[in-house]
Amino acid sequence: MGKNGEDKKKQETMAVMSLMKDQQNPIQQFQVKFKEVETGFKSWLSKQKLPVEAAIVTAMGGVQGAFIGGLMGTLSPEMPQSGIDPQAMASLKQTQALVGGPLVQARNFAAITGVNAGIACIMKRIRGKEDLESAVVAALGSGAAYSLVSAGLQGQPGNAIATAAGFALFQGVFFKLGERFSKPTIEDPYYTRGRSMLLKLGLEKYEKNFKKGLLADPTLPLLTDSALRDVSIPPGPRLLILDHIQRDPELKGKKGSRG
């Protein structure tokens, strides 16, 4: 009788899981999967040696910049051939020569974003934080790289210095504005395992319920249906959470040792 009851409970849990997966928004499913892959990749990358991490980050930044630059170059409006003042035509030609076509913009943006990302990565690994100084140094490097690839070795050193200084100034201003108007999200270390569990189950929206009820990571092996009900988590998600804890060898072991 006990075995039949246990089998029935498992069947009900599987049915709820299947129903919730079918009802889950495909976009939300993609976001969850993407977040898992992104988190795993960042974790792997952070364990590599500094030259390896910097090279990978620089290459990825360069590819992103090249794509953006090429797209902008493709979408740039064509210069009119007639019906325009000769002086204005000359000015437009100078601007077009400076900006360049898709390949030129792809090259320029690749240099800017790649060098910026690489230097920022190195500064973060060395200094252990992302701050104004790191952002300014990365902007100086990206400005110098842009000046080099756009003007070549024949470019005047004064122009390179001015370009790098301009990049640094804008980066510094944007960094301070970002600090002022955005509040960085600080992950609570007491809910790390619970957050990961909810993310895997597609139930990350109930993280606030866990925090409201002070259901921190040490309480996970002790969770019961009534405890989850007390923090206003619906029956379906409660079954999924309890089933996950039951299947997790580490959590199940802690629960047994406490008993």
Side-chain angles (χ1 to χ4, degrees), residues 54-66 106-122 138 141-142 145:
I56 294 175
V57 170
T58 300
M60 291 175 61
V63 170
Q64 292 176 358
R107 178 201 64 190
N108 293 345
F109 272 80
I112 294 171
T113 57
V115 173
N116 189 290
I119 295 178
C121 170
I122 294 172
S142 61

Side-chain angles (χ1 to χ4, degrees), residues 5 20 26 40 44 46 51 82 96 100 126 131 165 193 200 213 239 254:
M20 291 194 68
W44 172 83
S46 64
S82 61
Q96 191 179 51
I126 294 174
D131 55 9
R193 191 177 184 91
K200 289 180 180 178
L239 287 172
K254 287 183 179 180

Side-chain angles (χ1 to χ4, degrees), residues 196-213:
S196 176
M197 174 187 68
L198 293 174
L199 182 65
K200 289 180 180 178
L201 296 174
L203 303 174
E204 59 272 15
K205 66 180 180 180
Y206 294 112
E207 182 180 347
K208 62 181 182 297
N209 300 67
F210 271 60
K211 291 183 177 180
K212 183 179 178 181

